[in-house]
Amino acid sequence: MKQARVLTQAEIKRVLIYCNGTKYAQRNRLAVLLSHYAGLRVGEIASLTWEQLLDANGDIRSQFYLAAADTKSNEARLVHINAKLMAELVAATKLTKTACGPIIRSQRGGHFSANSLAQVFARIYAGVGFKDASSHSGRRWFITELAKKGVTSKTIMELAGHKQLSTTQRYIEVTDQMKAEAVQLL
């Protein structure tokens, strides 16, 4: 099976611009950003609630736990939020009528199923013209970008919630530019 496409920074910007023109702009932007900047799987995004992200003062936490039941590996894990995703989440709390329940709400206001949210991703990427991108593209981008920036494989493995390093390594897309930069380190 072919792996999901890893987008470039410019392509991610195109996707976010496209999202801004959709009926559910904020929801779609958040889904894309949670995938790319937190490395979450589509099922993890679908299960995510404001209660997990907000502290007692109603502020976004810099890290939160995914419950074991919401992860593929059935093991809880700590997710860290970077500055870009934090800014988007803070903006979303100001626009959200109620900061409780699902972060990514279906048209009826409840949780998406993982499959339905994957279809939302497919429509977004198709709308931009990326036929080979999927809900897993953001996760692959997250892992590849961390590897490009020299983050240790063990750290990436833990951030991704993988049990085996070999799984993490399969996600990393190695480009000719990465290889050229690598040999220049010698």
Side-chain angles (χ1 to χ4, degrees), residues 1 41-44 47 66-77 136 139 160-163 167 170-171:
M1 184 163 100
R41 295 175 180 96
V42 69
E44 295 166 345
S47 70
L66 278 175
D70 296 329
T71 67
K72 183 178 177 181
S73 63
N74 207 27
E75 291 184 15
R77 83 168 185 275
H136 227 57
R139 187 165 168 79
H162 290 150
K163 291 182 180 181
T167 303
R170 285 195 308 265
Y171 277 72

Side-chain angles (χ1 to χ4, degrees), residues 93-166:
T93 61
K94 292 177 182 170
L95 296 173
T96 303
K97 293 176 185 168
T98 175
C100 64
I103 291 177
I104 307 300
R105 294 180 189 272
S106 69
Q107 291 176 347
R108 295 183 181 153
H111 283 279
F112 270 93
S113 69
N115 186 48
S116 294
L117 188 54
Q119 291 173 24
V120 169
F121 274 98
R123 285 191 298 274
I124 290 169
Y125 291 132
V128 182
F130 300 152
K131 292 180 175 56
D132 49 353
S134 75
S135 61
H136 227 57
S137 291
R139 187 165 168 79
R140 288 201 65 223
W141 180 87
F142 174 80
I143 292 168
T144 298
E145 284 298 304
L146 291 173
K148 277 186 196 177
K149 291 176 176 26
V151 176
T152 66
S153 297
K154 176 73 172 158
T155 302
I156 297 170
M157 182 181 92
E158 290 193 14
L159 287 170
H162 290 150
K163 291 182 180 181
Q164 301 292 323
L165 187 56
S166 60

Side-chain angles (χ1 to χ4, degrees), residues 16 19 24-37 40 45 48 50 53 84-93 96 102-105 117 121 124:
L16 294 174
C19 287
Y24 301 101
Q26 179 190 38
R27 175 198 78 185
N28 293 344
R29 280 182 64 86
L30 278 176
V32 168
L33 291 170
L34 286 163
S35 174
H36 282 82
Y37 289 110
L40 298 180
I45 296 169
L48 198 57
W50 286 110
L53 293 184
K84 291 177 185 178
L85 181 54
M86 177 68 76
E88 195 78 21
L89 288 166
V90 167
T93 61
T96 303
I103 291 177
I104 307 300
R105 294 180 189 272
L117 188 54
F121 274 98
I124 290 169

